[in-house]
Amino acid sequence: AIYDMEDVLPKALQSHIDILPFIKNTDAEGYKPFIAARSQFIYKKIERILGVTKPDTVELRRTIYLNYLMRFYGMQNKFLRNRAECIKSLSCSPEIADAIFDIFTDCDAGSHNQDGSPVFVKTTATENKLACYIAVLMLSLNKWTAYPLELAADLNIPGKKAETYFQNVGCKLEAASAADIAANTYSKRPRSGGNKIAILKAPVQFPKASLRGSK
């Protein structure tokens, strides 16, 4: 595999992802409150995982982690000052929140919260890194193909920006028909322009701003 998923979601971190609310509530109305991201991709993947007799718990944890990262992408820096509220909004454990802050934010030198704690912010570099992790997770859950317009819808970003994120992790972009996109994506967002499919396969060429280069 081009990516070692242990680098993206270590097993030590997986143990802090609570899957019981999903295993116990296979009905969507039961587990939807535990999904922080408003993502049709996430909803449908979890629905598919739980729709078999023995759900793939590794894939389920990976999907839930992707959900955390998508939600975190949409958080503004002023909201990050309140770690407790962030954890509540993400519906994750403190250990997961700590890892996300550690990987995807930088300490704002010289700034402190009212309680004296340091301020952590997303910078352009850490936000790009976050988006690259999201792209790799989506690819890993979708047989190493993905549709940029679906990522654009879930992150509320322009289609071209989503295409760039997939290119940054080594994907090749190929033309996709509107019918193909409609049949293989879940987004409710209008599908106009930039009809591409991102495919990750060897050999790959990484642009300078890539997941590997940002570690």
Side-chain angles (χ1 to χ4, degrees):
I2 294 169
Y3 284 99
D4 183 350
M5 295 309 293
E6 177 68 14
D7 293 335
V8 180
L9 178 56
K11 290 180 181 177
L13 199 56
Q14 289 183 36
S15 64
H16 295 290
I17 297 176
D18 187 8
I19 62 173
L20 285 180
F22 298 88
I23 299 297
K24 290 181 176 180
N25 297 288
T26 53
D27 178 78
E29 294 308 312
Y31 62 73
K32 271 192 175 182
F34 299 96
I35 302 177
R38 294 182 178 179
S39 163
Q40 290 299 314
F41 180 88
I42 297 292
Y43 290 145
K44 293 299 182 181
K45 285 297 174 185
I46 291 179
E47 182 180 287
R48 184 172 296 176
I49 291 168
L50 297 178
V52 297
T53 305
K54 292 184 178 181
D56 184 330
T57 56
V58 172
E59 195 169 71
L60 179 57
R61 284 188 171 92
R62 194 178 293 174
T63 307
I64 296 170
Y65 186 61
L66 172 60
N67 146 70
Y68 298 149
L69 297 193
M70 283 186 171
R71 179 69 186 92
F72 193 71
Y73 186 93
M75 291 182 178
Q76 296 182 354
N77 276 332
K78 62 182 180 181
F79 188 65
L80 303 188
R81 286 176 173 266
N82 191 324
R83 184 74 66 99
E85 282 300 313
C86 285
I87 294 173
K88 182 179 178 182
S89 182
L90 290 169
S91 297
C92 70
S93 68
E95 292 85 358
I96 293 290
D98 287 345
I100 290 174
F101 270 82
D102 182 54
I103 300 169
F104 303 113
T105 67
D106 285 331
C107 183
D108 188 7
S111 296
H112 294 85
N113 293 311
Q114 290 183 348
D115 61 2
S117 61
V119 173
F120 291 90
V121 296
K122 286 186 293 181
T123 63
T124 299
T126 61
E127 187 170 271
N128 286 341
K129 183 176 181 177
L130 174 59
C132 286
Y133 271 66
I134 289 170
V136 169
L137 283 163
M138 286 185 73
L139 288 161
S140 75
L141 290 165
N142 211 44
K143 298 181 180 178
W144 302 104
T145 64
Y147 293 87
L149 284 183
E150 192 155 46
L151 179 65
D154 285 347
L155 299 187
N156 194 28
I157 59 176
K160 288 296 182 183
K161 190 171 185 178
E163 290 177 8
T164 298
Y165 286 145
F166 281 113
Q167 288 175 314
N168 284 348
V169 300
C171 287
K172 293 179 180 179
L173 297 179
E174 298 182 2
S177 68
D180 183 44
I181 292 173
N184 293 288
T185 63
Y186 310 113
S187 173
K188 303 296 183 184
R189 181 168 166 166
R191 301 175 176 91
S192 59
N195 292 345
K196 299 290 179 67
I197 182 173
I199 303 172
L200 186 67
K201 57 185 177 181
V204 300
Q205 290 184 333
F206 293 98
K208 291 181 179 179
S210 68
L211 175 61
R212 292 188 171 187
S214 61
K215 284 186 181 178

